[in-house]
Structures are given as structure tokens and as C-alpha cells.
Amino acid sequence: MTPIDLAETADALPQAWSSLPLGLPGPAALKVLRMDGRPLPPERHDAPEALLVLDGVLRLVAGGVPVEVRAGQLFVVGAGVEHSVAPGSLGTLVLFEAAAAG
């Protein structure tokens, strides 16, 4: 396998907030996506989700608390914690989440 340029891959995605699975390291899915400033509605997952900002900023509300995650920072959303993306999130985001069964 050759190295993957995450910023290039995210830039080439056809639309923002459309993730591209990059691989399955163990029981997790690794995805990259481009943020475009739009908010996203609340969601929650049965397993923790790790959010790594490569460039830009991710503005979240996690468990009712506003959180700003900047380039080079990692934020882990706990299992079952409701979280949403607030307006103004821009840049490249890498997600580590539980792989879908099947």
C-alpha cells in the first residue's frame, strides 16, 4: 500500500461532509472528510468516536457543552454522548469510528 495524502484526498471529495473510508484498522473504520462551515444535526453512537482535525477547526456541541477542536487536536466523543457540529467548522477531519457490522 502507498501512503495516502489526507488533505489531497479530502479536497478531491465531491461534497463536504461526505466521508471516504480509508481502511479498517482492527474493529474501527478510518475516514476522511472535508468540513464546509455548515452545521450538522445531533447524533449519538453506540461506540466512542475519535475526531482528529488535520487543518482548520471543528466546532462541536458534545453532551450539551461547546467544544472547539483545532488543527492537530484530537477529541473523543464517548459512547452514547449526543453531539452535533456547530456552524463554522472548516477544514479536513479524520474520523475513527466503530466499523459497521456485516
Side-chain angles (χ1 to χ4, degrees), residues 33-82:
L33 58 86
R34 185 177 69 251
M35 303 178 287
D36 71 348
R38 291 181 292 148
L40 293 178
E43 62 181 13
R44 65 179 73 224
H45 309 285
D46 292 335
E49 176 180 58
L51 308 168
L52 171 64
V53 177
L54 290 184
D55 60 73
V57 63
L58 170 63
R59 293 188 170 99
L60 288 174
V61 177
V65 177
V67 178
E68 190 168 277
V69 187
R70 297 203 161 273
Q73 294 181 324
L74 174 75
F75 184 78
V76 178
V77 178
V81 174
E82 183 175 273

